[in-house]
Amino acid sequence: MAETSQQHAIDTMFLEERTYPPPEDFAAGANAQAGIYDIPFEQFWEQEGRERITWFEPFTDLYEWEPPYAKWYLGGKLNVCFNCVDRHVEAGDGGVVAYHWEGEPEGDARAITYADLQQDVVRFANALKKLGVQKGTPVGIYMGMVPELPVAMLACTRLGAPHTVVFGGFSADSLSGRMNDMKCEVLITQDEAWRRGSKVGLKKIADEAMADAPGVQSCVVLRRTGSDTPMQEGRDHWWHDLVGDVSDDPQSCPCEPMDSEDLLFLMYTSGTTAKPKGIIHTTAGYLVGTSTTHNYIFDLKQDEDVYWCAADIGWITGHSYIVYGPLCNRTTSVLYEGTPDFPDKDRWWSIVEKYKVTILYTAPTAIRSHMKWGPEYAQQHDLSSLRLLGSVGEPINPEAWIWYREHIGSDRTPIVDTWWQTETGMVLITPLPGVTTLKPGSATQPFPGVVPAVYDEQGNEVGPGGGGYLVLKRPWPAMLRGIFGDDQRYRDTYWSKYEDIYLAGDGARIDQDGDYWLLGRIDDVMNVSGHRISTIEVESALVDHQEVAEAAVCSRADSVTGEAIVAYVTLKGGGEGSIEKLEELRNHVSQKIGPIAKPANIVFTPELPKTRSGKIMRRLLRDVANDRKLGDTTTLADPTVVDEIAKRASDEKAQEAEA
Ligand code: PRX
């Protein structure tokens, strides 16, 4: 086999030997103290479950593990909205700010207290009830980063209605596919969203999606920009009209008691087939898992910290660490609507200064963008309030880690590099600030009670220094409860390689100190800007174009987005590609999946490299895309094909360089 990206990653990371022990003052006051690792697993989760959550009826059993399905906090009754909102108001903390919302247009800002949040949620839940939403009604949500997005999610949980939030950058096809899979009856959206100074017509996309999702009977539309928006009589309702005449008294809409294992939400994510998987998260384990990790990993001090997770709520990071975990812990958070570079590249840093943000959680791709723009944007602002930084979504290269610490954290703040997935629901491998000695590029240690390992092909544990497959050996509270409607795919994807052991789909290595180094995906899933996109999803979108005969997709390394998508396309009738065709295909993918899935490069080629049995050899395409020496080509049906592709790819690069 050719030098793989895994080996390459190991080589570079071996060179990284800098370490950062926790600052003494941080350690002294940290929520997590070293002894936390000694608490027995069951005792730990039992205690967190009892103390962190308010139960309508206490749970009777901690967990049940019948592989590959786990249940947690059995017999308990609770409500997520009650835990995230009502109980804080009842405790006298209604005046505490839940979200400092910062709109993208400057000056557009709102402070939303827990009391405000309760009123808004109660009103909106009452509005949803008018549309027939009740316990068990599946609801789709397609919105930007407006305060009404968490309000909509919380209103659903208040009623016991499971939701699926679809990221506002997804296309109509992606939205309808998800709503059809979940059988959504109601869709909540907004007229338009702000994005880098322009308006994105979410309702227009939602209209297209609803045309393909006949199960959606009602659509609620929030007015955000005020542009003219066609409304379909009988189906579409303005948010402000619906809430106009309903009560905001919590008694008028009590929180529905839910079973610990009732469905809370589905989050769709890319796998190795074209169809996204609906990852199932249930009520109690998810809430305990996210709030517990949020407390210890971010060292949250309720009355002192201003916490900002700069992800989008449309992804799992936003669900767990903007909405449910932080609100359960009565956090004061920042919620920002726009992009980091609007109106200028210092926008984030002006927000940190304005709200005196103390904890910032973002993705390596964002850090690398800031690196590219230069430290001067951060230097224009007072960032001295920051005391802790976090990273998530992809391996963080040591260079970006160091830049983040030096330029954003004044060479003083710990950085928590948190490894987890849509499926895990909560962070599983991470430093605990105040306890863990940090190493740039390493996610360091399993969270208390989490038991990962690195396995070889046969299922033997790989010793220190060796690369292998990251697995999890024991269940954890926020773990997925399956793939919606597809038990077989759940078993095949995560549980078939090793018996009763969860296969994460990532490569990893453990060093001599027992610290984990994540090495990227081992399957046909790409990670672009911290977002998962499957190669096959993009291939299907390309082949869907009438002129495309065949397509193969892989990723190449990119200095900002981590990975970038490269597509190799054969046109029908042996047609030659052109710049126009290239743009047309990129737009086609954008329309089918969303702009995030647009290939960065498309190489037109008369043939794809295939084995004699007809399988496309993606490994070789990856080598070409990454300018690596070609691996073994002896199994190819026609070995000259890759040479031709490599030539075309380098011609394309030369053309690009000229342009
Ligand atoms: O490959 C790993 C990478 O992101 C994948 C999960 O993607 P998703 O479900 O979209 O969730 C992203 C946010 C939790 C993982 O399989 N990943 C996530 N965090 C890290 C990471 N890779 C390395 N280091 C991380 N800290």
Side-chain angles (χ1 to χ4, degrees):
M1 203 163 150
E3 311 148 71
T4 63
S5 54
Q6 282 196 13
Q7 282 164 344
H8 189 68
I10 291 173
D11 289 347
T12 48
M13 286 197 278
F14 265 130
L15 299 175
E16 185 47 60
E17 281 172 354
R18 282 168 281 197
T19 55
Y20 296 80
E24 265 171 40
D25 52 338
F26 198 113
N31 290 0
Q33 295 293 324
I36 193 170
Y37 289 108
D38 305 329
I39 307 172
F41 159 79
E42 280 159 13
Q43 186 189 326
F44 181 76
W45 288 117
E46 172 94 25
Q47 198 171 313
E48 294 295 337
R50 299 233 182 264
E51 290 172 9
R52 202 164 288 287
I53 299 296
T54 305
W55 298 87
F56 294 157
E57 282 175 38
F59 58 92
T60 50
D61 292 296
L62 180 64
Y63 77 112
E64 177 192 287
W65 177 222
E66 286 176 8
Y69 288 99
K71 291 182 178 163
W72 280 82
Y73 302 109
L74 289 88
K77 294 268 185 289
L78 74 164
N79 182 280
V80 167
C81 180
F82 182 81
N83 275 280
C84 289
V85 183
D86 294 61
R87 64 169 178 160
H88 305 318
V89 179
E90 284 177 16
D93 295 326
V96 172
V97 172
Y99 291 119
H100 288 291
W101 179 69
E102 173 89 3
E104 189 186 88
E106 277 180 303
D108 205 354
R110 263 157 72 187
I112 299 145
T113 63
Y114 278 92
D116 297 335
L117 195 56
Q118 186 183 40
Q119 285 183 351
D120 290 347
V121 169
V122 168
R123 252 196 236 116
F124 192 60
N126 274 324
L128 288 176
K129 277 203 286 193
K130 289 200 285 191
L131 301 177
V133 175
Q134 53 181 350
K135 183 173 177 173
T137 309
V139 176
I141 304 180
Y142 184 61
M143 301 178 87
M145 289 284 284
V146 288
E148 288 81 359
L149 171 51
V151 167
M153 294 162 77
L154 291 163
C156 287
T157 67
R158 188 176 194 91
L159 299 172
H163 60 65
T164 190
V165 179
V166 179
F167 170 60
F170 274 123
S171 66
D173 277 3
S174 299
L175 176 58
S176 62
R178 286 158 171 76
M179 291 198 296
N180 285 333
D181 190 68
M182 194 183 182
K183 302 189 175 57
C184 292
E185 294 171 23
V186 173
L187 172 63
I188 304 165
T189 187
Q190 62 189 66
D191 53 359
E192 295 171 318
W194 285 112
R195 190 164 172 86
R196 216 173 256 124
S198 54
K199 298 170 179 175
V200 182
L202 294 188
K203 173 60 164 52
K204 192 167 159 281
I205 299 169
D207 280 339
E208 274 176 55
M210 284 188 285
D212 281 334
V216 178
Q217 289 143 23
S218 318
C219 176
V220 184
V221 187
L222 174 81
R223 181 172 280 161
R224 170 67 186 119
T225 64
S227 300
D228 271 352
T229 300
M231 299 287 278
Q232 184 178 310
E233 183 71 34
R235 185 194 69 185
D236 300 346
H237 310 266
W238 285 109
W239 180 301
H240 56 264
D241 287 342
L242 283 178
V243 298
D245 59 353
V246 295
S247 170
D248 62 9
D249 176 359
Q251 303 300 328
S252 70
C253 185
C255 293
E256 186 73 31
M258 302 297 284
D259 186 85
S260 287
E261 282 299 329
D262 275 335
L263 176 61
L264 182 62
F265 66 82
L266 298 184
M267 169 60 69
Y268 286 84
T269 189
S270 296
T272 51
T273 72
K275 189 176 183 285
K277 315 176 267 200
I279 301 298
I280 298 173
H281 284 293
T282 59
T283 304
Y286 176 80
L287 193 63
V288 177
T290 54
S291 57
T292 303
T293 46
H294 180 256
N295 172 69
Y296 293 115
I297 298 167
F298 297 108
D299 190 47
L300 187 90
K301 307 285 192 279
Q302 286 184 325
D303 297 314
E304 292 153 35
D305 280 316
V306 178
Y307 162 88
W308 183 17
C309 168
D312 192 289
I313 293 177
W315 306 106
I316 193 70
T317 306
H319 279 52
S320 300
Y321 297 109
I322 298 178
V323 181
Y324 295 119
L327 291 178
C328 188
N329 288 338
R330 209 215 67 194
T331 306
T332 295
S333 294
V334 167
L335 187 64
Y336 172 50
E337 183 182 35
T339 57
D341 55 350
F342 188 85
D344 204 349
K345 299 182 178 67
D346 69 334
R347 185 66 188 274
W348 271 21
W349 316 123
S350 78
I351 293 173
V352 169
E353 180 172 12
K354 176 173 174 188
Y355 297 104
K356 300 197 168 38
V357 172
T358 57
I359 305 165
L360 176 66
Y361 188 32
T362 185
T365 185
I367 299 163
R368 289 190 297 260
S369 291
H370 289 290
M371 260 172 92
K372 199 177 73 180
W373 298 333
E376 54 274 22
Y377 294 99
Q379 283 156 6
Q380 290 163 22
H381 296 277
D382 177 5
L383 307 185
S384 61
S385 54
L386 287 170
R387 68 179 192 93
L388 179 62
L389 303 174
S391 170
V392 60
E394 49 183 313
I396 179 164
N397 43 312
E399 194 195 353
W401 195 103
I402 300 279
W403 190 93
Y404 194 26
R405 178 174 161 113
E406 284 181 356
H407 294 288
I408 307 306
S410 322
D411 208 10
R412 150 182 73 73
T413 58
I415 296 179
V416 286
D417 173 5
T418 62
W419 178 87
W420 58 297
Q421 312 177 292
T422 303
E423 290 87 341
T424 69
M426 61 187 239
V427 175
L428 294 188
I429 303 180
T430 177
L432 292 178
V435 179
T436 313
T437 292
L438 307 172
K439 294 177 188 168
S442 169
T444 70
Q445 294 287 315
F447 188 77
V450 174
V451 188
V454 174
Y455 276 12
D456 68 10
E457 204 54 58
Q458 284 71 42
N460 307 306
E461 288 205 20
V462 176
Y469 299 96
L470 179 67
V471 299
L472 296 158
K473 295 165 70 171
R474 199 198 256 163
W476 60 98
M479 74 186 277
L480 75 167
R481 302 300 196 263
I483 295 175
F484 191 68
D486 205 340
D487 169 68
Q488 196 56 48
R489 190 174 178 194
Y490 174 60
R491 292 172 188 273
D492 292 347
T493 309
Y494 309 105
W495 306 97
S496 61
K497 193 166 179 76
Y498 310 113
E499 203 179 333
D500 299 347
I501 297 281
Y502 175 87
L503 178 76
D506 280 346
R509 142 181 110 75
I510 309 176
D511 68 15
Q512 305 291 343
D513 304 324
D515 284 322
Y516 281 74
W517 299 76
L518 279 305
L519 306 175
R521 300 290 307 185
I522 43 143
D523 52 15
D524 288 328
V525 174
M526 301 173 287
N527 189 328
V528 181
S529 300
H531 301 311
R532 260 157 79 170
I533 301 165
S534 89
T535 53
I536 294 154
E537 226 175 326
V538 180
E539 285 167 8
S540 315
L542 284 165
V543 174
D544 176 81
H545 188 280
Q546 55 193 17
E547 287 170 54
V548 173
E550 263 189 320
V553 165
C554 67
S555 66
R556 62 163 166 80
D558 183 276
S559 62
V560 174
T561 58
E563 291 181 38
I565 303 176
V566 181
Y568 299 88
V569 169
T570 307
L571 294 175
K572 282 183 185 157
E576 286 285 323
S578 61
I579 298 282
E580 293 74 35
K581 192 62 54 204
L582 191 146
E583 263 324 293
E584 193 179 318
L585 293 185
R586 293 181 75 227
N587 289 333
H588 190 73
V589 174
S590 174
Q591 230 175 25
K592 296 302 289 184
I593 307 172
I596 44 164
K598 264 190 189 183
N601 311 78
I602 297 181
V603 179
F604 292 101
T605 167
E607 295 284 351
L608 293 173
K610 288 186 190 157
T611 60
R612 272 164 277 244
S613 62
K615 265 185 85 169
I616 296 173
M617 291 192 67
R618 288 194 178 70
R619 170 168 68 73
L620 293 177
L621 294 173
R622 273 196 294 271
D623 289 342
V624 173
N626 288 288
D627 289 332
R628 283 194 299 254
K629 195 163 114 294
L630 289 183
D632 184 4
T633 56
T634 50
T635 51
L636 278 178
D638 177 1
T640 61
V641 170
V642 278
D643 296 333
E644 176 65 21
I645 292 177
K647 189 175 152 294
R648 284 171 183 253
S650 76
D651 287 352
E652 194 193 90
K653 233 177 252 159
Q655 274 172 15
E656 249 174 48
E658 252 170 56

